[in-house]
Amino acid sequence: MSTPQVSDIMTEAPATCSVDDDVGTAAKALAEHDCGALPVVEDTSPRRPRGMITDRDIVMRTVAEDINPLKMKVADVMTNVALIVNADDPVETCLNVMKDNQVRRIVVVDGTGACCGIVSQADLARHLNPAQVGDMVKQVSQPTEQASAPAG
């Protein structure tokens, strides 16, 4: 039996947005596609990942700061680091990147570097054994030093 690849478990052709989209448009796309995150990609081809925007990003970086999200661009609230895996990587690589970086979703790219998919914890839960998934969820959910430090 061959080792499963990321392409075997990823959600293909995910909804995306660009840095120049307004936050309202991104929020509507999150609702329309019933997802918690959108890869932020370049407007030009190939649509390389630039970052990620989540529903939490929108709330924490706008509403929680008393800033009107409808007057902001995706670039203002997105996470700028685009952690990626390749579609032909082993699923274990994806699992390790998610654990090591404490992320719940990761963007998948093809051979040209274009966004072609996304892998979430749910995708892993559907395809891996419960022990692997449990370990990953435990690692991702560990408090970081920044999150556990008292507000100053």
mmCIF file of all heavy atoms in Angstrom, residues 95-135:
data_model
loop_
_atom_site.group_PDB
_atom_site.id
_atom_site.type_symbol
_atom_site.label_atom_id
_atom_site.label_comp_id
_atom_site.label_asym_id
_atom_site.label_seq_id
_atom_site.Cartn_x
_atom_site.Cartn_y
_atom_site.Cartn_z
ATOM 1 N N LEU A 95 0.894 16.842 8.133
ATOM 2 C CA LEU A 95 0.610 16.671 9.557
ATOM 3 C C LEU A 95 1.697 17.322 10.407
ATOM 4 O O LEU A 95 1.410 18.065 11.346
ATOM 5 C CB LEU A 95 0.499 15.176 9.866
ATOM 6 C CG LEU A 95 0.101 14.752 11.256
ATOM 7 C CD1 LEU A 95 -1.355 15.089 11.530
ATOM 8 C CD2 LEU A 95 0.320 13.259 11.405
ATOM 9 N N ASN A 96 2.951 17.081 10.056
ATOM 10 C CA ASN A 96 4.067 17.646 10.825
ATOM 11 C C ASN A 96 4.154 19.164 10.714
ATOM 12 O O ASN A 96 4.436 19.844 11.705
ATOM 13 C CB ASN A 96 5.386 16.994 10.410
ATOM 14 C CG ASN A 96 5.470 15.558 10.863
ATOM 15 O OD1 ASN A 96 4.862 15.158 11.851
ATOM 16 N ND2 ASN A 96 6.213 14.751 10.124
ATOM 17 N N VAL A 97 3.923 19.717 9.527
ATOM 18 C CA VAL A 97 3.952 21.175 9.359
ATOM 19 C C VAL A 97 2.853 21.817 10.208
ATOM 20 O O VAL A 97 3.075 22.831 10.866
ATOM 21 C CB VAL A 97 3.816 21.578 7.871
ATOM 22 C CG1 VAL A 97 3.618 23.080 7.723
ATOM 23 C CG2 VAL A 97 5.035 21.130 7.081
ATOM 24 N N MET A 98 1.678 21.200 10.215
ATOM 25 C CA MET A 98 0.576 21.743 11.005
ATOM 26 C C MET A 98 0.896 21.682 12.497
ATOM 27 O O MET A 98 0.669 22.661 13.220
ATOM 28 C CB MET A 98 -0.725 21.008 10.672
ATOM 29 C CG MET A 98 -1.221 21.325 9.271
ATOM 30 S SD MET A 98 -2.619 20.322 8.728
ATOM 31 C CE MET A 98 -3.959 21.077 9.643
ATOM 32 N N LYS A 99 1.442 20.570 12.950
ATOM 33 C CA LYS A 99 1.804 20.436 14.372
ATOM 34 C C LYS A 99 2.904 21.416 14.747
ATOM 35 O O LYS A 99 2.792 22.134 15.746
ATOM 36 C CB LYS A 99 2.266 18.997 14.692
ATOM 37 C CG LYS A 99 1.159 18.006 14.737
ATOM 38 C CD LYS A 99 1.528 16.644 15.274
ATOM 39 C CE LYS A 99 2.804 16.043 14.846
ATOM 40 N NZ LYS A 99 2.972 14.631 15.248
ATOM 41 N N ASP A 100 3.963 21.453 13.950
ATOM 42 C CA ASP A 100 5.123 22.297 14.265
ATOM 43 C C ASP A 100 4.773 23.782 14.295
ATOM 44 O O ASP A 100 5.386 24.553 15.027
ATOM 45 C CB ASP A 100 6.253 22.074 13.255
ATOM 46 C CG ASP A 100 6.863 20.680 13.353
ATOM 47 O OD1 ASP A 100 6.605 19.969 14.347
ATOM 48 O OD2 ASP A 100 7.588 20.311 12.409
ATOM 49 N N ASN A 101 3.804 24.190 13.478
ATOM 50 C CA ASN A 101 3.438 25.605 13.380
ATOM 51 C C ASN A 101 2.128 25.939 14.083
ATOM 52 O O ASN A 101 1.661 27.079 14.021
ATOM 53 C CB ASN A 101 3.363 26.015 11.909
ATOM 54 C CG ASN A 101 4.714 25.984 11.259
ATOM 55 O OD1 ASN A 101 5.498 26.912 11.415
ATOM 56 N ND2 ASN A 101 5.024 24.913 10.548
ATOM 57 N N GLN A 102 1.544 24.943 14.719
ATOM 58 C CA GLN A 102 0.292 25.098 15.456
ATOM 59 C C GLN A 102 -0.788 25.782 14.616
ATOM 60 O O GLN A 102 -1.382 26.779 15.006
ATOM 61 C CB GLN A 102 0.516 25.862 16.763
ATOM 62 C CG GLN A 102 1.345 25.085 17.762
ATOM 63 C CD GLN A 102 1.398 25.762 19.111
ATOM 64 O OE1 GLN A 102 1.924 26.861 19.230
ATOM 65 N NE2 GLN A 102 0.845 25.106 20.120
ATOM 66 N N VAL A 103 -1.037 25.212 13.433
ATOM 67 C CA VAL A 103 -2.084 25.727 12.563
ATOM 68 C C VAL A 103 -3.110 24.639 12.294
ATOM 69 O O VAL A 103 -2.799 23.447 12.287
ATOM 70 C CB VAL A 103 -1.522 26.267 11.223
ATOM 71 C CG1 VAL A 103 -0.632 27.478 11.458
ATOM 72 C CG2 VAL A 103 -0.785 25.193 10.439
ATOM 73 N N ARG A 104 -4.331 25.060 12.087
ATOM 74 C CA ARG A 104 -5.454 24.147 11.880
ATOM 75 C C ARG A 104 -5.751 23.897 10.400
ATOM 76 O O ARG A 104 -6.513 23.012 10.063
ATOM 77 C CB ARG A 104 -6.687 24.684 12.586
ATOM 78 C CG ARG A 104 -6.550 24.635 14.090
ATOM 79 C CD ARG A 104 -7.650 25.400 14.815
ATOM 80 N NE ARG A 104 -7.608 25.155 16.235
ATOM 81 C CZ ARG A 104 -6.733 25.697 17.087
ATOM 82 N NH1 ARG A 104 -5.799 26.503 16.620
ATOM 83 N NH2 ARG A 104 -6.763 25.422 18.362
ATOM 84 N N ARG A 105 -5.146 24.717 9.552
ATOM 85 C CA ARG A 105 -5.346 24.587 8.105
ATOM 86 C C ARG A 105 -4.046 24.948 7.410
ATOM 87 O O ARG A 105 -3.294 25.782 7.905
ATOM 88 C CB ARG A 105 -6.424 25.560 7.617
ATOM 89 C CG ARG A 105 -7.768 25.373 8.247
ATOM 90 C CD ARG A 105 -8.630 26.603 7.962
ATOM 91 N NE ARG A 105 -9.788 26.671 8.797
ATOM 92 C CZ ARG A 105 -9.853 27.301 9.964
ATOM 93 N NH1 ARG A 105 -8.798 27.935 10.450
ATOM 94 N NH2 ARG A 105 -10.964 27.318 10.657
ATOM 95 N N ILE A 106 -3.848 24.358 6.233
ATOM 96 C CA ILE A 106 -2.643 24.669 5.479
ATOM 97 C C ILE A 106 -2.971 24.678 3.986
ATOM 98 O O ILE A 106 -3.781 23.878 3.506
ATOM 99 C CB ILE A 106 -1.499 23.690 5.818
ATOM 100 C CG1 ILE A 106 -0.174 24.181 5.277
ATOM 101 C CG2 ILE A 106 -1.824 22.286 5.360
ATOM 102 C CD1 ILE A 106 1.026 23.560 5.946
ATOM 103 N N VAL A 107 -2.353 25.598 3.274
ATOM 104 C CA VAL A 107 -2.572 25.745 1.840
ATOM 105 C C VAL A 107 -1.731 24.715 1.088
ATOM 106 O O VAL A 107 -0.595 24.431 1.460
ATOM 107 C CB VAL A 107 -2.197 27.175 1.376
ATOM 108 C CG1 VAL A 107 -2.356 27.330 -0.124
ATOM 109 C CG2 VAL A 107 -3.036 28.208 2.112
ATOM 110 N N VAL A 108 -2.312 24.185 0.021
ATOM 111 C CA VAL A 108 -1.635 23.200 -0.827
ATOM 112 C C VAL A 108 -1.350 23.850 -2.175
ATOM 113 O O VAL A 108 -2.213 24.535 -2.740
ATOM 114 C CB VAL A 108 -2.514 21.945 -1.030
ATOM 115 C CG1 VAL A 108 -1.773 20.909 -1.874
ATOM 116 C CG2 VAL A 108 -2.951 21.358 0.305
ATOM 117 N N VAL A 109 -0.132 23.658 -2.668
ATOM 118 C CA VAL A 109 0.250 24.208 -3.966
ATOM 119 C C VAL A 109 0.606 23.090 -4.941
ATOM 120 O O VAL A 109 1.001 21.994 -4.542
ATOM 121 C CB VAL A 109 1.435 25.205 -3.852
ATOM 122 C CG1 VAL A 109 1.035 26.422 -3.026
ATOM 123 C CG2 VAL A 109 2.666 24.548 -3.276
ATOM 124 N N ASP A 110 0.473 23.427 -6.225
ATOM 125 C CA ASP A 110 0.857 22.481 -7.279
ATOM 126 C C ASP A 110 2.297 22.744 -7.696
ATOM 127 O O ASP A 110 3.000 23.550 -7.074
ATOM 128 C CB ASP A 110 -0.115 22.572 -8.462
ATOM 129 C CG ASP A 110 -0.122 23.926 -9.165
ATOM 130 O OD1 ASP A 110 0.840 24.725 -8.997
ATOM 131 O OD2 ASP A 110 -1.089 24.190 -9.905
ATOM 132 N N GLY A 111 2.721 22.113 -8.765
ATOM 133 C CA GLY A 111 4.097 22.233 -9.235
ATOM 134 C C GLY A 111 4.503 23.629 -9.665
ATOM 135 O O GLY A 111 5.689 23.952 -9.696
ATOM 136 N N THR A 112 3.537 24.497 -9.977
ATOM 137 C CA THR A 112 3.845 25.876 -10.370
ATOM 138 C C THR A 112 3.831 26.832 -9.178
ATOM 139 O O THR A 112 4.089 28.019 -9.344
ATOM 140 C CB THR A 112 2.842 26.400 -11.421
ATOM 141 O OG1 THR A 112 1.558 26.553 -10.806
ATOM 142 C CG2 THR A 112 2.751 25.482 -12.627
ATOM 143 N N GLY A 113 3.465 26.312 -8.010
ATOM 144 C CA GLY A 113 3.361 27.153 -6.823
ATOM 145 C C GLY A 113 1.993 27.782 -6.651
ATOM 146 O O GLY A 113 1.777 28.586 -5.749
ATOM 147 N N ALA A 114 1.045 27.413 -7.506
ATOM 148 C CA ALA A 114 -0.308 27.954 -7.421
ATOM 149 C C ALA A 114 -1.125 27.206 -6.381
ATOM 150 O O ALA A 114 -0.979 25.988 -6.205
ATOM 151 C CB ALA A 114 -1.003 27.857 -8.776
ATOM 152 N N CYS A 115 -2.002 27.934 -5.712
ATOM 153 C CA CYS A 115 -2.907 27.324 -4.738
ATOM 154 C C CYS A 115 -3.840 26.363 -5.467
ATOM 155 O O CYS A 115 -4.536 26.747 -6.404
ATOM 156 C CB CYS A 115 -3.714 28.420 -4.036
ATOM 157 S SG CYS A 115 -4.967 27.796 -2.912
ATOM 158 N N CYS A 116 -3.845 25.121 -5.035
ATOM 159 C CA CYS A 116 -4.723 24.125 -5.658
ATOM 160 C C CYS A 116 -5.597 23.412 -4.639
ATOM 161 O O CYS A 116 -6.453 22.611 -4.997
ATOM 162 C CB CYS A 116 -3.912 23.115 -6.460
ATOM 163 S SG CYS A 116 -2.825 22.073 -5.463
ATOM 164 N N GLY A 117 -5.368 23.690 -3.349
ATOM 165 C CA GLY A 117 -6.159 23.022 -2.326
ATOM 166 C C GLY A 117 -5.883 23.561 -0.943
ATOM 167 O O GLY A 117 -5.061 24.472 -0.764
ATOM 168 N N ILE A 118 -6.572 22.982 0.017
ATOM 169 C CA ILE A 118 -6.377 23.314 1.425
ATOM 170 C C ILE A 118 -6.614 22.037 2.220
ATOM 171 O O ILE A 118 -7.428 21.199 1.832
ATOM 172 C CB ILE A 118 -7.318 24.460 1.871
ATOM 173 C CG1 ILE A 118 -6.931 24.999 3.245
ATOM 174 C CG2 ILE A 118 -8.773 24.050 1.808
ATOM 175 C CD1 ILE A 118 -7.616 26.315 3.607
ATOM 176 N N VAL A 119 -5.855 21.873 3.292
ATOM 177 C CA VAL A 119 -6.048 20.739 4.195
ATOM 178 C C VAL A 119 -6.388 21.312 5.560
ATOM 179 O O VAL A 119 -5.694 22.200 6.065
ATOM 180 C CB VAL A 119 -4.795 19.846 4.294
ATOM 181 C CG1 VAL A 119 -4.977 18.768 5.356
ATOM 182 C CG2 VAL A 119 -4.483 19.212 2.947
ATOM 183 N N SER A 120 -7.459 20.810 6.140
ATOM 184 C CA SER A 120 -7.878 21.229 7.471
ATOM 185 C C SER A 120 -7.765 20.050 8.427
ATOM 186 O O SER A 120 -7.568 18.902 8.010
ATOM 187 C CB SER A 120 -9.331 21.716 7.435
ATOM 188 O OG SER A 120 -10.197 20.616 7.185
ATOM 189 N N GLN A 121 -7.939 20.332 9.720
ATOM 190 C CA GLN A 121 -7.957 19.259 10.704
ATOM 191 C C GLN A 121 -9.035 18.240 10.354
ATOM 192 O O GLN A 121 -8.831 17.041 10.508
ATOM 193 C CB GLN A 121 -8.221 19.807 12.108
ATOM 194 C CG GLN A 121 -7.044 20.500 12.718
ATOM 195 C CD GLN A 121 -7.349 21.006 14.122
ATOM 196 O OE1 GLN A 121 -8.493 21.240 14.497
ATOM 197 N NE2 GLN A 121 -6.305 21.204 14.894
ATOM 198 N N ALA A 122 -10.173 18.717 9.857
ATOM 199 C CA ALA A 122 -11.257 17.803 9.501
ATOM 200 C C ALA A 122 -10.846 16.853 8.379
ATOM 201 O O ALA A 122 -11.199 15.659 8.407
ATOM 202 C CB ALA A 122 -12.503 18.595 9.102
ATOM 203 N N ASP A 123 -10.095 17.351 7.400
ATOM 204 C CA ASP A 123 -9.614 16.485 6.318
ATOM 205 C C ASP A 123 -8.732 15.382 6.887
ATOM 206 O O ASP A 123 -8.831 14.212 6.501
ATOM 207 C CB ASP A 123 -8.826 17.287 5.274
ATOM 208 C CG ASP A 123 -9.678 18.290 4.529
ATOM 209 O OD1 ASP A 123 -10.837 17.969 4.191
ATOM 210 O OD2 ASP A 123 -9.186 19.413 4.294
ATOM 211 N N LEU A 124 -7.851 15.761 7.804
ATOM 212 C CA LEU A 124 -6.968 14.773 8.421
ATOM 213 C C LEU A 124 -7.769 13.773 9.243
ATOM 214 O O LEU A 124 -7.497 12.569 9.212
ATOM 215 C CB LEU A 124 -5.912 15.463 9.280
ATOM 216 C CG LEU A 124 -4.898 16.302 8.500
ATOM 217 C CD1 LEU A 124 -4.060 17.155 9.447
ATOM 218 C CD2 LEU A 124 -4.000 15.437 7.639
ATOM 219 N N ALA A 125 -8.770 14.245 9.971
ATOM 220 C CA ALA A 125 -9.590 13.363 10.809
ATOM 221 C C ALA A 125 -10.325 12.325 9.967
ATOM 222 O O ALA A 125 -10.520 11.186 10.418
ATOM 223 C CB ALA A 125 -10.584 14.190 11.624
ATOM 224 N N ARG A 126 -10.707 12.690 8.758
ATOM 225 C CA ARG A 126 -11.417 11.751 7.886
ATOM 226 C C ARG A 126 -10.502 10.689 7.287
ATOM 227 O O ARG A 126 -10.979 9.659 6.827
ATOM 228 C CB ARG A 126 -12.119 12.509 6.765
ATOM 229 C CG ARG A 126 -13.373 13.231 7.200
ATOM 230 C CD ARG A 126 -14.175 13.753 6.015
ATOM 231 N NE ARG A 126 -13.520 14.860 5.332
ATOM 232 C CZ ARG A 126 -13.660 16.139 5.671
ATOM 233 N NH1 ARG A 126 -14.431 16.466 6.683
ATOM 234 N NH2 ARG A 126 -13.036 17.080 4.997
ATOM 235 N N HIS A 127 -9.192 10.940 7.267
ATOM 236 C CA HIS A 127 -8.290 10.042 6.543
ATOM 237 C C HIS A 127 -7.205 9.384 7.377
ATOM 238 O O HIS A 127 -6.541 8.474 6.893
ATOM 239 C CB HIS A 127 -7.642 10.803 5.379
ATOM 240 C CG HIS A 127 -8.617 11.209 4.334
ATOM 241 N ND1 HIS A 127 -9.267 12.428 4.368
ATOM 242 C CD2 HIS A 127 -9.088 10.560 3.249
ATOM 243 C CE1 HIS A 127 -10.089 12.508 3.327
ATOM 244 N NE2 HIS A 127 -9.995 11.390 2.640
ATOM 245 N N LEU A 128 -6.969 9.852 8.580
ATOM 246 C CA LEU A 128 -5.897 9.290 9.404
ATOM 247 C C LEU A 128 -6.478 8.516 10.576
ATOM 248 O O LEU A 128 -7.659 8.655 10.897
ATOM 249 C CB LEU A 128 -4.984 10.405 9.920
ATOM 250 C CG LEU A 128 -4.272 11.246 8.866
ATOM 251 C CD1 LEU A 128 -3.440 12.330 9.532
ATOM 252 C CD2 LEU A 128 -3.397 10.377 7.970
ATOM 253 N N ASN A 129 -5.614 7.751 11.225
ATOM 254 C CA ASN A 129 -6.106 7.014 12.386
ATOM 255 C C ASN A 129 -6.310 7.973 13.559
ATOM 256 O O ASN A 129 -5.660 9.021 13.639
ATOM 257 C CB ASN A 129 -5.189 5.826 12.721
ATOM 258 C CG ASN A 129 -3.874 6.242 13.339
ATOM 259 O OD1 ASN A 129 -3.848 6.928 14.354
ATOM 260 N ND2 ASN A 129 -2.787 5.789 12.742
ATOM 261 N N PRO A 130 -7.208 7.632 14.465
ATOM 262 C CA PRO A 130 -7.544 8.538 15.570
ATOM 263 C C PRO A 130 -6.347 8.959 16.433
ATOM 264 O O PRO A 130 -6.307 10.088 16.915
ATOM 265 C CB PRO A 130 -8.559 7.737 16.393
ATOM 266 C CG PRO A 130 -9.190 6.813 15.399
ATOM 267 C CD PRO A 130 -8.074 6.454 14.442
ATOM 268 N N ALA A 131 -5.371 8.086 16.618
ATOM 269 C CA ALA A 131 -4.205 8.438 17.444
ATOM 270 C C ALA A 131 -3.400 9.559 16.783
ATOM 271 O O ALA A 131 -2.962 10.492 17.457
ATOM 272 C CB ALA A 131 -3.328 7.213 17.679
ATOM 273 N N GLN A 132 -3.200 9.479 15.469
ATOM 274 C CA GLN A 132 -2.467 10.528 14.754
ATOM 275 C C GLN A 132 -3.206 11.860 14.837
ATOM 276 O O GLN A 132 -2.601 12.902 15.071
ATOM 277 C CB GLN A 132 -2.290 10.158 13.274
ATOM 278 C CG GLN A 132 -1.277 9.085 13.000
ATOM 279 C CD GLN A 132 -1.254 8.762 11.522
ATOM 280 O OE1 GLN A 132 -2.234 8.284 10.963
ATOM 281 N NE2 GLN A 132 -0.116 9.032 10.894
ATOM 282 N N VAL A 133 -4.503 11.818 14.650
ATOM 283 C CA VAL A 133 -5.302 13.035 14.687
ATOM 284 C C VAL A 133 -5.306 13.626 16.094
ATOM 285 O O VAL A 133 -5.143 14.831 16.276
ATOM 286 C CB VAL A 133 -6.746 12.767 14.198
ATOM 287 C CG1 VAL A 133 -7.613 14.009 14.355
ATOM 288 C CG2 VAL A 133 -6.730 12.306 12.744
ATOM 289 N N GLY A 134 -5.458 12.761 17.096
ATOM 290 C CA GLY A 134 -5.453 13.233 18.481
ATOM 291 C C GLY A 134 -4.148 13.906 18.844
ATOM 292 O O GLY A 134 -4.141 14.964 19.487
ATOM 293 N N ASP A 135 -3.036 13.328 18.421
ATOM 294 C CA ASP A 135 -1.727 13.921 18.690
ATOM 295 C C ASP A 135 -1.596 15.277 18.003
ATOM 296 O O ASP A 135 -1.103 16.236 18.584
ATOM 297 C CB ASP A 135 -0.611 12.975 18.234
ATOM 298 C CG ASP A 135 0.765 13.554 18.488
ATOM 299 O OD1 ASP A 135 1.076 13.859 19.656
ATOM 300 O OD2 ASP A 135 1.527 13.708 17.508
#
